[in-house]
Amino acid sequence: MLKEKIYRVVNKGAHGSKYNLVFDYGIMLLIILNVVALAIGTVPEIRIKAGGFLRIFELISIIIFTIEYLMRLYVADLTHPSSSQVKSIFKFVFSGYGMIDLVAILPFYLPFLIAVDMRFLRLFRLMRFFRLMKLNRYNSSLNLIWSVVKEKRSELAVTGFVSVLILLISSFLMYDVESKIQPDKFPNIFATFWWAIATLTTVGYGDVYPITAVGKVISSLIAILGIGIVALPTGIISAGFMNKIDKKEASEDACPHCGKEINRKL
Amino acid sequence: MLKEKIYRVVNKGAHGSKYNLVFDYGIMLLIILNVVALAIGTVPEIRIKAGGFLRIFELISIIIFTIEYLMRLYVADLTHPSSSQVKSIFKFVFSGYGMIDLVAILPFYLPFLIAVDMRFLRLFRLMRFFRLMKLNRYNSSLNLIWSVVKEKRSELAVTGFVSVLILLISSFLMYDVESKIQPDKFPNIFATFWWAIATLTTVGYGDVYPITAVGKVISSLIAILGIGIVALPTGIISAGFMNKIDKKEASEDACPHCGKEINRKL
Amino acid sequence: MLKEKIYRVVNKGAHGSKYNLVFDYGIMLLIILNVVALAIGTVPEIRIKAGGFLRIFELISIIIFTIEYLMRLYVADLTHPSSSQVKSIFKFVFSGYGMIDLVAILPFYLPFLIAVDMRFLRLFRLMRFFRLMKLNRYNSSLNLIWSVVKEKRSELAVTGFVSVLILLISSFLMYDVESKIQPDKFPNIFATFWWAIATLTTVGYGDVYPITAVGKVISSLIAILGIGIVALPTGIISAGFMNKIDKKEASEDACPHCGKEINRKL
Amino acid sequence: MLKEKIYRVVNKGAHGSKYNLVFDYGIMLLIILNVVALAIGTVPEIRIKAGGFLRIFELISIIIFTIEYLMRLYVADLTHPSSSQVKSIFKFVFSGYGMIDLVAILPFYLPFLIAVDMRFLRLFRLMRFFRLMKLNRYNSSLNLIWSVVKEKRSELAVTGFVSVLILLISSFLMYDVESKIQPDKFPNIFATFWWAIATLTTVGYGDVYPITAVGKVISSLIAILGIGIVALPTGIISAGFMNKIDKKEASEDACPHCGKEINRKL
């Protein structure tokens, strides 16, 4: 049956056929080439010389992506089983990956429907890149990282809140200290906030920096606190990863008293 | 009873009522808006155009914060129970959150009492932001982070002391090496110390950097040591978090089959 | 027997003789001196004054390295035992260390055979430095680090993929925001990508940085995400190291009183 | 007895008397003031105005430190017991803290004996700061940190070796790529090495950075590897700290089979 065959081609899984592998890597390659095309399209020399070629490549890509999307719509009742075909299509269209697939082709058809900003379109086209995430659909690593971050979100949020407090207080202090001496570099709190973030994250571009003694003392304190702001989330996340490993191991433990297996999820 | 009702409104807790939620989020929003108002008030264009509006907003805020403070004083005998009403009020006024609440409204009333520096006032007004910390009053995460930092304060202090030693020695060395060649960039030890901190914390603004060969060797060593200065506290804090989790789990360990405690880790 | 003696000299191991130690440290010293010679050879003043000396040193080095290589070829049947002498030689020549040894002397003989780029040659000569890795041939630490990185390659790859996504999206956003205002600093996506990497890794050279408000907001977000990009791999690797230690200890756990195995952790 | 009393004053320990506390904090304060005096002595304005005062303060300090040193010599047979008084003095003089104490007063007496460079003297005087380390003589935290670093020295050394390899290869590559375009910024390998360290440690002063496309690709790779260079030692040290805590706890464990305490030192 045709539907069965298409399903096997477009859907990765335990029943992954050779055709699916070829299809998957082909689509992946096309996505990467599309992102590369988007990137080199911003270089004026290339846009002048190879602009036509890039547009043709874009057109071919969109045709392939559209065909793929239609194929996925066609087999929606197999990938998203439900009481009716329409419901299955809806389920697919509004699923996470379904949305990404749509967003990847929408920017091409949108100008035919409504007037849109070209820059806005480019960002939408970039969304195709998210499709590479599909590679990780069965990837336990992404889930592990995500579960650690989610489990520790409360501690990470507190660290974030304390960081914002430090940034705010140092910005206001710095503004009082430096705005008179360097009114062009520290004209208002927002400019000072920009300096504070560059210092706390230890980026230190060097476009703004204090020149007064008091300003340098404040800046030094922020830079030192920056180490703590790196150390805290790292420590929290390290503990989170360790904990996950411990739990996994613990679930294979046995009680030393009665010898029975302890299959608990701590 | 009125006092009971006010108590339920101003006090978050297990008995948190709907009114308390509305009240809490309202105050929170007002605090954030106040900080935003303080920030945009430093932009000259906005101060000229919307200065009047900002002053009115400040006035309304202060009235609300004052009413809130009076309400808290009124129910002090419920939140801080003691032998007498006066003692309860004292207890509240000198409690951590009581002080923050006072500091949040004081800057407005202070100029009526004594002559004060306006810049000093702005910083005081910023203290309101600390009130957002109340959100975390029952937040176990903040307590966890704080307990880890407190538990490891001795190790962190040693790391800090070693860092100061490295900073001092490198500053004196650098001063001897670079002050002759770049007298404007390394005029004295304090300027060199500023460079040392920017290097050790890997901020690296780029306003001061060595140009002599020896200076660059010293700078490279400091930068490499900087990695250690990040690695040590991070390692200490990671171990601290791990330890907390281990202890918590160990104290809850019991075999689900025979019910006996499994004292595996502690 | 001569072959036996040469084998003992050139091969480190449990049967390491005094001659092997002298030989090993001699070769090591020569490698380091060669790298130093390569480095000081790039300083024009030194090249003019001591160019002849450097060339003679290079010649002597190449003779020693060639003799060493011939010795290793001679004892190949002892170090890489196989059915025939020729097979052993092949085995040695195409082994990891055999290739490095060859690459270390090849650049000298290559110009006699084919026309080669001089810069290409220098990089090849630098390959000698890899030979110092031999020092670690029996080093369990390198294996430990490598096994941790290998074990966690999946999690590290996911972190890397997410980082590339962040870099790409921020680059495209930044290009739209800044390319109009600073066309010389953000001329195309590649220039913006360079900025994005410098920001996410918190290097922050300061050659390119945003000047628009929106650009600074994006830059701040990237810098803050940069902390996460440091925290995630560090946490993953910390957990990996801990796990290795736990496993090693668990496999050695036995009660010293009753002799029974204590399978507490695995 | 006088010797007993002096011993109690100069020696901290379990038998620490009130006098010892006063004496210890007095010496500590004097050391800090000396370092501050050294620092402010480098500011020309202060040196002109308060130069005389600083010299008198230096003189008084040296007298106090000399008296302290003589006192320690006098009680050497109590602090460093041995078969004879002379041996005890020798033992003290050549002990770690004895050397630091000597180095702290030596720079003053040295010019009376031999001709010395003044800059050399300042660095020696700075050695006094090391004496603050005595505060940690009984500090278990310093010992803990030190033991972790020592235990993991092999892994840290491997990380260091790999870092040097990365630095070397990237320096040679960068020299070939950028020295033609920016001969003033990348004149030789040493200048390139300086850039490589600033990039790998993510300091990024911004005094040297690549401008060619290939150079930027290399620089990006180094910056990304820089995250690994931070992650690896941090992970190693985290695991080290965790291990120490585990061991301490393990030594308080009991065997689950026979119930006896397992006082093993893993």
Side-chain angles (χ1 to χ4, degrees):
Chain A
M1 218 181 94
L2 179 69
K3 193 172 245 180
E4 268 292 304
K5 272 184 184 164
I6 289 175
Y7 174 65
R8 280 194 189 149
V9 167
V10 302
N11 255 60
K12 206 161 117 188
H15 44 71
S17 65
K18 246 195 297 181
Y19 297 105
N20 169 253
L21 260 179
V22 171
F23 177 82
D24 256 23
Y25 280 103
I27 290 287
M28 234 183 284
L29 188 70
L30 198 63
I31 291 167
I32 291 168
L33 286 176
N34 261 275
V35 172
V36 170
L38 263 182
I40 64 173
T42 63
V43 183
E45 294 80 20
I46 292 173
R47 205 164 40 214
I48 291 161
K49 278 189 194 157
F53 174 77
L54 287 175
R55 264 190 297 276
I56 291 164
F57 174 73
E58 172 69 19
L59 198 69
I60 294 169
S61 303
I62 215 75
I63 292 168
I64 296 172
F65 287 136
T66 307
I67 292 170
E68 190 215 351
Y69 191 69
L70 293 174
M71 271 158 76
R72 286 190 193 279
L73 281 180
Y74 180 56
V75 299
D77 54 339
L78 292 172
T79 55
H80 296 74
S82 69
S83 55
S84 79
Q85 170 82 9
V86 177
K87 266 193 186 170
S88 289
I89 285 172
F90 258 82
K91 256 184 158 176
F92 164 67
V93 170
F94 292 100
S95 71
Y97 288 112
M99 302 273 278
I100 288 173
D101 285 357
L102 184 62
V103 151
I105 53 168
L106 209 66
F108 182 78
Y109 299 105
L110 222 57
F112 297 108
L113 306 171
I114 50 160
V116 279
D117 186 0
M118 281 313 285
R119 289 192 297 179
F120 190 64
L121 275 189
R122 185 164 38 224
L123 279 174
F124 255 61
R125 263 191 252 158
L126 198 63
M127 291 296 159
R128 275 172 209 159
F129 204 74
F130 276 105
R131 292 192 53 193
L132 288 183
M133 291 289 250
K134 278 195 187 172
L135 288 173
N136 297 312
R137 202 183 272 190
Y138 299 96
N139 196 326
S140 60
S141 297
L142 186 65
N143 292 333
L144 175 65
I145 293 172
W146 185 244
S147 73
V148 166
V149 171
K150 211 165 64 182
E151 199 184 280
K152 299 290 174 189
R153 65 182 180 282
S154 172
E155 278 94 341
L156 294 173
V158 168
T159 314
F161 180 75
V162 172
S163 305
V164 169
L165 252 174
I166 292 172
L167 286 172
L168 267 177
I169 293 167
S170 61
S171 295
F172 275 85
L173 276 171
M174 206 57 156
Y175 173 71
D176 283 339
V177 168
E178 292 279 334
S179 65
K180 291 276 162 59
I181 318 291
Q182 299 191 86
D184 56 321
K185 296 252 170 121
F186 295 93
N188 53 54
I189 288 294
F190 299 101
T192 328
F193 204 75
W194 165 245
W195 155 85
I197 283 180
T199 304
L200 195 74
T201 60
T202 76
V203 169
Y205 286 121
D207 55 339
V208 277
Y209 49 82
I211 52 168
T212 65
V214 180
K216 285 180 178 180
V217 169
I218 297 168
S219 200
S220 300
L221 290 174
I222 303 302
I224 290 163
L225 281 171
I227 289 173
I229 296 304
V230 170
L232 276 179
T234 307
I236 291 165
I237 285 172
S238 294
F241 276 108
M242 267 313 293
N243 204 23
K244 285 279 164 196
I245 293 167
D246 275 8
K247 273 183 196 165
K248 224 175 94 192
E249 282 172 1
S251 66
E252 294 154 9
D253 260 4
C255 169
H257 302 295
C258 64
K260 281 184 196 163
E261 203 192 324
I262 308 168
N263 226 331
R264 90 209 115 121
K265 289 274 168 288
L266 271 172
Chain B
M1 216 179 96
L2 179 68
K3 193 173 245 179
E4 269 291 305
K5 273 186 184 164
I6 289 175
Y7 173 66
R8 279 191 191 152
V9 166
V10 300
N11 255 59
K12 203 162 120 189
H15 44 70
S17 65
K18 244 195 301 183
Y19 298 105
N20 167 253
L21 260 178
V22 171
F23 177 81
D24 257 21
Y25 280 101
I27 289 287
M28 235 184 285
L29 187 70
L30 198 64
I31 291 168
I32 291 168
L33 286 176
N34 261 274
V35 172
V36 170
L38 262 181
I40 63 173
T42 64
V43 184
E45 293 80 19
I46 294 173
R47 206 166 37 217
I48 291 161
K49 278 188 193 156
F53 174 76
L54 287 175
R55 264 190 297 277
I56 292 165
F57 174 71
E58 172 68 20
L59 198 69
I60 295 169
S61 304
I62 216 74
I63 291 168
I64 296 172
F65 287 136
T66 306
I67 293 170
E68 189 215 353
Y69 189 70
L70 293 174
M71 272 157 78
R72 285 191 193 279
L73 280 180
Y74 180 56
V75 298
D77 54 339
L78 292 172
T79 55
H80 296 75
S82 70
S83 55
S84 80
Q85 170 83 8
V86 177
K87 265 194 186 172
S88 288
I89 285 172
F90 258 82
K91 257 182 157 178
F92 164 66
V93 170
F94 292 101
S95 71
Y97 287 113
M99 302 273 278
I100 288 174
D101 285 359
L102 185 62
V103 152
I105 53 169
L106 210 64
F108 183 79
Y109 299 105
L110 222 57
F112 297 108
L113 306 171
I114 51 160
V116 279
D117 185 2
M118 282 314 285
R119 288 193 298 177
F120 190 66
L121 275 190
R122 184 163 40 221
L123 280 174
F124 255 61
R125 265 191 248 157
L126 198 63
M127 291 296 159
R128 274 172 209 159
F129 204 74
F130 276 106
R131 293 191 53 193
L132 289 183
M133 290 289 251
K134 277 195 188 175
L135 289 172
N136 297 314
R137 202 183 272 192
Y138 299 97
N139 195 325
S140 59
S141 297
L142 185 66
N143 292 333
L144 175 65
I145 292 172
W146 184 244
S147 72
V148 166
V149 171
K150 211 165 63 182
E151 199 184 280
K152 299 290 174 189
R153 66 182 178 282
S154 173
E155 278 94 341
L156 293 174
V158 169
T159 314
F161 180 75
V162 172
S163 305
V164 169
L165 253 173
I166 292 171
L167 286 172
L168 266 177
I169 293 167
S170 61
S171 296
F172 275 85
L173 275 170
M174 206 57 156
Y175 173 71
D176 283 339
V177 169
E178 292 280 333
S179 65
K180 291 276 162 59
I181 318 292
Q182 299 191 86
D184 55 321
K185 296 253 170 117
F186 295 92
N188 53 53
I189 288 294
F190 299 102
T192 328
F193 204 74
W194 166 245
W195 156 84
I197 283 180
T199 305
L200 195 74
T201 59
T202 76
V203 169
Y205 286 121
D207 54 339
V208 277
Y209 50 82
I211 53 169
T212 65
V214 180
K216 285 179 177 179
V217 169
I218 296 169
S219 201
S220 299
L221 290 175
I222 303 303
I224 290 163
L225 282 170
I227 290 172
I229 296 304
V230 170
L232 276 179
T234 308
I236 292 166
I237 285 171
S238 293
F241 276 109
M242 268 311 296
N243 204 24
K244 285 278 164 198
I245 293 167
D246 275 8
K247 274 184 193 159
K248 221 174 100 193
E249 278 174 2
S251 66
E252 291 162 7
D253 270 10
C255 171
H257 304 292
C258 64
K260 280 183 195 164
E261 201 191 328
I262 307 168
N263 229 326
R264 277 180 316 151
K265 270 195 189 144
L266 268 174
Chain C
M1 217 179 96
L2 180 67
K3 192 171 246 181
E4 268 292 304
K5 272 185 183 164
I6 288 174
Y7 173 66
R8 280 193 189 150
V9 166
V10 300
N11 254 60
K12 206 162 119 189
H15 43 70
S17 66
K18 245 195 299 180
Y19 297 105
N20 167 254
L21 260 178
V22 171
F23 177 82
D24 257 22
Y25 280 103
I27 290 288
M28 235 184 285
L29 188 70
L30 197 63
I31 291 167
I32 292 168
L33 286 176
N34 262 274
V35 172
V36 171
L38 262 183
I40 64 173
T42 63
V43 183
E45 294 81 18
I46 292 174
R47 208 165 37 215
I48 290 161
K49 277 190 193 155
F53 175 76
L54 287 176
R55 265 190 295 277
I56 292 166
F57 175 71
E58 171 68 19
L59 198 69
I60 294 170
S61 303
I62 216 75
I63 292 169
I64 296 172
F65 287 135
T66 308
I67 292 171
E68 189 214 354
Y69 190 69
L70 294 174
M71 273 158 78
R72 285 190 194 279
L73 280 180
Y74 180 55
V75 298
D77 54 339
L78 293 172
T79 54
H80 296 75
S82 71
S83 54
S84 78
Q85 172 80 9
V86 177
K87 265 193 184 169
S88 289
I89 284 172
F90 258 82
K91 256 184 158 176
F92 163 67
V93 169
F94 293 100
S95 72
Y97 287 113
M99 301 273 278
I100 288 173
D101 285 358
L102 184 62
V103 151
I105 53 168
L106 210 65
F108 183 79
Y109 299 105
L110 223 57
F112 297 108
L113 307 171
I114 51 160
V116 280
D117 185 359
M118 281 315 285
R119 289 192 297 178
F120 190 66
L121 275 189
R122 183 163 42 223
L123 279 174
F124 255 61
R125 264 190 250 156
L126 198 64
M127 290 297 159
R128 274 171 209 160
F129 205 74
F130 276 105
R131 294 193 52 193
L132 290 183
M133 290 289 250
K134 279 197 188 173
L135 289 172
N136 296 314
R137 203 182 272 190
Y138 299 97
N139 196 325
S140 59
S141 297
L142 186 65
N143 292 333
L144 175 65
I145 292 172
W146 185 244
S147 72
V148 166
V149 171
K150 212 164 63 182
E151 199 183 281
K152 299 289 174 192
R153 67 183 177 284
S154 173
E155 278 94 340
L156 294 173
V158 168
T159 314
F161 180 76
V162 172
S163 305
V164 169
L165 253 174
I166 293 171
L167 287 172
L168 267 177
I169 293 167
S170 61
S171 296
F172 275 84
L173 275 171
M174 206 58 156
Y175 173 71
D176 283 338
V177 168
E178 293 279 334
S179 65
K180 289 277 162 57
I181 318 291
Q182 299 191 86
D184 55 321
K185 296 252 171 121
F186 294 92
N188 52 53
I189 288 294
F190 300 101
T192 328
F193 204 75
W194 165 245
W195 155 84
I197 284 181
T199 304
L200 195 75
T201 60
T202 77
V203 169
Y205 286 121
D207 54 341
V208 277
Y209 49 82
I211 52 170
T212 65
V214 179
K216 284 181 177 178
V217 169
I218 297 169
S219 201
S220 300
L221 290 175
I222 303 302
I224 289 161
L225 281 171
I227 290 173
I229 296 302
V230 170
L232 275 180
T234 307
I236 291 165
I237 285 172
S238 293
F241 276 109
M242 266 313 293
N243 204 24
K244 286 278 164 197
I245 293 167
D246 275 9
K247 274 185 193 160
K248 221 175 99 192
E249 279 173 1
S251 67
E252 291 160 7
D253 270 11
C255 171
H257 303 294
C258 65
K260 281 183 195 163
E261 202 191 326
I262 308 167
N263 228 329
R264 275 181 319 151
K265 269 193 189 147
L266 268 175
Chain D
M1 216 180 97
L2 180 67
K3 192 172 248 180
E4 270 291 304
K5 273 184 182 164
I6 290 174
Y7 174 66
R8 279 189 190 154
V9 166
V10 300
N11 255 60
K12 205 161 120 189
H15 44 69
S17 65
K18 246 194 302 181
Y19 297 106
N20 167 253
L21 259 179
V22 171
F23 176 81
D24 258 20
Y25 280 102
I27 290 287
M28 236 183 285
L29 187 70
L30 198 62
I31 291 168
I32 291 167
L33 285 176
N34 262 274
V35 172
V36 171
L38 262 180
I40 64 173
T42 63
V43 184
E45 294 80 19
I46 293 173
R47 205 163 41 214
I48 290 161
K49 276 190 194 156
F53 175 76
L54 287 176
R55 265 191 296 277
I56 291 165
F57 175 71
E58 172 69 19
L59 198 70
I60 295 168
S61 303
I62 216 76
I63 291 168
I64 296 171
F65 287 135
T66 308
I67 291 170
E68 189 216 353
Y69 190 69
L70 293 174
M71 273 159 76
R72 285 191 193 277
L73 280 180
Y74 180 56
V75 299
D77 54 338
L78 292 172
T79 54
H80 296 74
S82 70
S83 56
S84 79
Q85 171 81 8
V86 177
K87 267 193 185 171
S88 289
I89 285 173
F90 258 81
K91 257 182 156 175
F92 163 67
V93 170
F94 292 100
S95 70
Y97 287 113
M99 301 273 279
I100 289 172
D101 285 359
L102 185 60
V103 151
I105 53 168
L106 210 65
F108 184 79
Y109 298 106
L110 224 56
F112 297 108
L113 306 171
I114 50 161
V116 279
D117 185 1
M118 281 314 284
R119 289 192 299 177
F120 191 65
L121 275 190
R122 184 162 42 222
L123 279 175
F124 255 62
R125 264 191 248 157
L126 198 63
M127 291 296 159
R128 272 173 210 158
F129 205 75
F130 276 105
R131 294 194 52 195
L132 290 182
M133 291 288 250
K134 279 196 186 175
L135 289 172
N136 297 314
R137 202 182 272 192
Y138 298 97
N139 196 325
S140 59
S141 297
L142 186 65
N143 291 333
L144 175 65
I145 292 172
W146 184 243
S147 73
V148 166
V149 171
K150 211 164 62 183
E151 199 183 280
K152 299 289 175 192
R153 67 181 177 283
S154 173
E155 277 93 341
L156 293 174
V158 168
T159 314
F161 180 75
V162 172
S163 306
V164 169
L165 253 174
I166 292 170
L167 287 172
L168 267 177
I169 292 166
S170 61
S171 295
F172 275 84
L173 276 171
M174 207 57 155
Y175 173 72
D176 284 338
V177 169
E178 292 279 336
S179 64
K180 291 276 160 60
I181 318 292
Q182 300 191 85
D184 56 320
K185 295 252 169 120
F186 294 92
N188 53 53
I189 288 294
F190 299 102
T192 327
F193 203 76
W194 165 245
W195 156 84
I197 283 181
T199 304
L200 195 74
T201 60
T202 76
V203 168
Y205 285 122
D207 53 340
V208 276
Y209 49 81
I211 52 169
T212 66
V214 180
K216 284 180 177 179
V217 169
I218 298 169
S219 202
S220 300
L221 290 174
I222 304 302
I224 290 162
L225 281 170
I227 290 172
I229 296 303
V230 170
L232 275 179
T234 307
I236 292 166
I237 285 172
S238 294
F241 275 109
M242 266 314 293
N243 203 23
K244 286 279 164 198
I245 294 167
D246 275 8
K247 274 185 193 163
K248 225 174 98 191
E249 281 173 1
S251 66
E252 293 154 10
D253 261 4
C255 168
H257 303 294
C258 63
K260 281 184 194 163
E261 201 191 327
I262 307 168
N263 227 329
R264 88 209 118 118
K265 289 276 168 284
L266 271 174

